[in-house]
Amino acid sequence: MSEKKIIAVLGATGAQGGSLAHSILNDPKSEFKVRAITRNPTSDKAKALAKAGAEVVGADLDDLDSLKKAFKGAYGVYGVTNYWELFSPEKEINQAKNIAKAAKEAGVEHVIWSSFEDTRDRIPLDDDRMPTLMGYYKVPHFDSKGEANKIFANLGVPTTYMFTSFYWDNFIYFGMGPKRGEDGILAFTLPMGDKRLSGIAAEDIGKCAYGIFKKGKELIGKTIGIAGEHLTGSEMAEAFTKALGQKVKYNAVPPAVYRSFGFPGADDLGNMFQYKHDFNDDYCGFRNIERTRSLNPDLKTFEQWLTANKDRIPLE
Ligand SMILES: NC(=O)c1ccc[n+]([C@@H]2O[C@H](COP(=O)([O-])OP(=O)(O)OC[C@H]3O[C@@H](n4cnc5c(N)ncnc54)[C@H](OP(=O)(O)O)[C@@H]3O)[C@@H](O)[C@H]2O)c1
């Protein structure tokens, strides 16, 4: 049997990279093997990956040399950065640049870069429909990833640009789940009006990436949008009501109100939802569900995700 090809997985201890790593590890017939990259190879999650059969390698996205070493001999790299640890577009762009440079130098044959649109292509900085943030951005955590797309292209790194969607897991971990109002009724709040929100189970992102790697070089140079479903707030409320067995309402607020909520990143997310609202047909249209399902036949609907996760949603 020929030697399995190494996929170096960034973020292997996290949601996206973790789901790719486990997709490969759970497939005994895979042509790939996993090199899980982490800053802390002795963490519980890193140890669990090693136990499941991954090679665990220590490296840091801020340290170019460590990435060059970690990518040595790898066929593929899954590239993901964690904006919410940085809260700095410049730092995120620099980490992406390190991924691209290290992949180029190591001669990696296929990188999947987990990314988004640069929203400034549609809303230039002088467009006052939404505030400019941090001096140069409309949606900082999108624009930095979008700006980094050009770095991979300009360096000639063989890259598939995978544009992801809102994780439904945000209803568990990001404080976005339904909360009980003064009327005693559960409600979740989003500034999406009557428009559709592209969503996905976080675990499906890595499964889609596996589907892209399995296609060989076919999708190199291509930008692929992925989503599990595009649903309105009312449709999500209906699904919540059915899954939780009690009424859940959708509380639509204007983006400016969402920006003013004051939690870290509220302005960034307020602009993000406004972008998804204002360019709804293009945004959802780019994230074709049937194509996503062709990459990942296990792709979950919101209802399926809720059935599996309803007991993990904190209801305050
Ligand atoms: N929430 C959403 O709805 C959503 C939707 C689409 C895309 N995203 C994007 O997803 C990204 C986060 O991905 P995730 O959800 O998979 O993250 P996550 O579950 O929070 O895990 C973060 C991962 O990044 C790794 N990491 C962070 N800084 C690192 C560094 N300096 N060097 C090496 N590894 C580092 C961590 O590894 P160690 O700690 O083990 O080193 C960990 O595996 C964000 O940029 C966000 O914009 C989020």
Side-chain angles (χ1 to χ4, degrees), residues 9-19 37-41 43 45-46 49 58-63 66-67 78 80-86 92 95 113-116 141-142 144-145 163-170 174 176 200 202 205 269 272 276 283:
V9 182
L10 288 158
T13 57
Q16 293 191 27
S19 63
I37 300 177
T38 170
R39 287 165 295 184
N40 181 5
S43 71
K45 283 188 175 173
L49 283 160
D60 192 316
L61 285 163
D62 293 319
D63 176 352
S66 74
L67 290 182
Y78 185 69
V80 60
T81 44
N82 186 9
Y83 181 85
W84 302 113
E85 189 174 319
L86 304 167
E92 187 170 47
Q95 291 189 341
W113 166 232
S114 174
S115 192
F116 283 127
H141 77 287
F142 269 49
S144 46
K145 293 181 181 68
F163 287 8
T164 61
S165 296
F166 176 88
Y167 305 171
W168 291 320
D169 308 67
N170 293 331
F174 225 73
M176 291 186 182
I200 193 163
I205 295 178
L269 292 176
M272 174 193 79
K276 293 179 182 185
Y283 190 86

Side-chain angles (χ1 to χ4, degrees), residues 179-222:
K179 296 184 181 38
R180 213 167 286 285
E182 281 172 13
D183 56 3
I185 296 172
L186 290 169
F188 64 96
T189 300
L190 288 173
M192 288 298 293
D194 60 0
K195 301 291 187 190
R196 295 167 296 150
L197 179 64
S198 297
I200 193 163
E203 64 172 309
D204 277 330
I205 295 178
K207 292 182 185 176
C208 291
Y210 187 30
I212 292 173
F213 277 129
K214 282 199 285 192
K215 280 191 178 288
K217 310 232 158 133
E218 190 182 317
L219 296 175
I220 287 177
K222 303 269 193 301

Side-chain angles (χ1 to χ4, degrees), residues 130-131 133 189-191 251-274:
M130 62 174 72
L133 303 176
T189 300
L190 288 173
N251 178 31
V253 294
V257 169
Y258 199 93
R259 282 190 282 271
S260 75
F261 281 160
F263 63 83
D267 49 0
D268 188 334
L269 292 176
N271 281 6
M272 174 193 79
F273 285 121
Q274 185 178 342

